[in-house]
Amino acid sequence: MNRLILFLFCLSIFKLSSAQTLTVLDSITKTPVEFVNIISENPREMVNTNSKGEANITFFEGAEEIQIRLLGYEAIKTTYNELKKTGFVLYIKPTEFNLNQVVISANRWKQNSSEIPQKITTIKPKEVALQNPQTTADLLAISGNVFIQKSQQGGGSPMIRGFATNRLLYVIDGVRMNTAIFRGGNIQNVISLDPFAIDNTEVLFGPGSVIYGSDAIGGVMSFQTLTPQLSTSENPLVSGKASSRFSSANNEKTAHFDVNVGWKKWAMVTSFSANQFDNLRQGSNGPDDYIKPYFVQRIDSIDRVVTQEDPLLQIPTAYSQQNFMQKLRFKPNEKWDFQYGFHYSETSPYGRFDRHNRVRNALPRYAEWSYGPQKWMMNMLNIAYKNKNSLFDEFSLRLSQQSFEESRIDRSLNNINRRTRIEEVEAYSLNLDFVKQINSRHTLFYGGEYVLNQVNSIGINENISTGIMQIGPSRYPKSDWSSMAIYMNNKFSLSEKVSLQAGIRYNQFILDADFDTSFYKFPFQTASVNDGAFTGSVGVVFRPSEKWILSSNFGTAFRSPNVDDIGKVFDSEPGSVIIPNPELSAEYAYNIDVGIAKIFGSSVKVDLTAYYTILENAMVRRNFQLNGLDSINYDGTLSQVQALQNAAVTTVYGIQAGLEVKLPKGFTVSANANYQLGEEELDNGDISPSRHAAPLFGVGRLSYVTSKLSLQLYAQFQAERSFVDLAVEEQGKTEIYALDENGNPYAPSWYTLNIKANYLLTSVFSVSAGLENLTDQRYRPYSSGVSAPGRNYVMSLNAKF
């Protein structure tokens, strides 16, 4: 009996130790392919290949259909036995055309994009490596479908389908980044993410509130950072990469490394990046209105206007940044997977360049205007469990804590009083998500969410001559903002060609704010909001063949009023001041979009999406009164009192188009174009163009790829936005726009020609080089307060092991 037990024990040990590893290689380069999705419905399993192209498929044994997918490669359907015949070595063929890829952003779970009625763009890691973006805002622009506005070099505020800022949602590893102080004005939080530490980026266009809650009106930007990779053998898996980069337009110096160490059950990944950017040089060919040939410097206790030696330098725009990430993973068996992540990002102070463009009495308006260090920290624990039962097949529990700090420092010219406003947010969240396959055609996604934001705001007034500091008015009241929600989303396949998705969410949001009336005599001391929102969506996907997809989706979304909406005091523009309004309620969006994607033959792919969105109860800036007064003295200026009010209806409609043509001998032509129009109701009943609906923009590319060389010539462009087509609130901003022949602000059209290359020197080392803005254009993306780089030489040396 003892011998039998010993025999069975040894047999089980042998079984556990004989894990079956599949190796996936590129059919052309014969190199390992990372991030390949390997999926089976029966048994329900899903794994990804590691940096060695390896994945443990032991639990796929007996599967009659295994799907192998990665964007940029032909999808493969096979069986476990077929893989066994190959010796568990699989070669996949690169292709530019695939209407089916694996995405996460639609339901928080991996799902085939061909079953999702909404448009989702994935930014391929290979494209990121070729483009070599300086920031994550620049990374988003690679897609050709996301417009990036910048008020300073240390920034980047995405615009998607006519919406921006707090009407878009940022998600990092499944955790929302939006906080209760995300504002309607342009924001720069996305630069806190390190582009080197991002595995995958997805952009979901249109409403995402059913899954993600408040703010997901125009779209959701989902970032998946590096995941610790386990070893598939007895030997530890050690992999990583290192990069150094130089750019001439801002004298950039960047260094990065990350390393992964994995065993069978434990793994960890460490990532660190350091960036230093000097003042940004704009191009030499373009509107003279963009040139500010001076800066303010305090010399001998006097603010002096200094003429620049190089008028094309934009001073002050220099800043630096550091990012650190540490992740740990423990996977004791195939049922449980524990992952902990720590992220930290900090910038130096950086000048808000658009404010430095303002003048008063023919002199600079400000001697100082900068953002203090932007700090972001996140601790996140993700627990995943797989075990089929009557309630779920898998669940995921995400617990997160985030700390945000940002500040604003300004001082008027020849004024000895400096104002500093510091904002701190502690954000906590809990997400519990389940997936249950009811049968082969029906899958249910459901879950719940809790979010808490605690806001603390400090005001400091400093006399720079004496060094004496006093408490000053804060930007926000001390506040708590919380959100509780439950949701459900159904995916149902009517046939192999037709699938439906429908979902619903209920969200309760609560805000409590305590106002300090020491500086401003508000007619209230507290404000409370306790309200709920229902949202839903329904969509259909029709696939006549593997080369043709038709889709349509109707969805609603909402944005609950946050602390920035209800409690902020700030100067929006000279002569106007925004004050709190505790009577706000949620705004709602209703969206419909229709899409088509088709592959013609084996060489042409076309995709087209049209959409129409109505935003009701929109929170917009309107004239207001404080204690019966329509104007107050703010920062030494008599200013019109304004407040956010639920007082408008906004409509946005547009078209997103894409084209790819595969040519012989490794050449490819591709293009993306986005056309959107937005209209907003004014308080007098007139209609104004919407501020965040960018002009026509896009990108065209000519690419050439061999086993060692990737080469791309591309052009980026933006159409003109005339004065009459500017939003009314933008028509007075002479400091950021060029002037037309009548002296009115407008946004000129522009284009840039660029070339990028990446060459594989050895199996470890590669070199990347680029020449951006070849013709040295001087231009500003629409609504931006800082010009884009002029002619820019980029060089990067990379190692991957």
Side-chain angles (χ1 to χ4, degrees), residues 453-458 473-481 510-520 522-529 562-563 566-569 580 582:
N453 283 192
Q454 297 175 327
V455 178
N456 188 42
S457 186
I458 303 169
S474 61
R475 182 178 173 90
Y476 298 116
K478 187 176 179 63
S479 311
D480 287 345
W481 181 92
I510 301 171
L511 189 156
D512 292 304
D514 294 320
F515 290 88
D516 182 357
T517 58
S518 303
F519 299 94
Y520 303 109
F522 301 126
F524 47 81
Q525 292 184 331
T526 62
S528 296
V529 175
N562 64 20
V563 176
I566 285 181
K568 175 172 59 180
V569 178

Side-chain angles (χ1 to χ4, degrees), residues 677-698:
L677 286 175
E679 295 178 340
E680 181 180 299
E681 180 184 6
L682 298 178
D683 55 354
N684 63 359
D686 291 344
I687 300 298
S688 167
S690 177
R691 172 187 176 188
H692 290 136
L696 170 71
F697 72 95

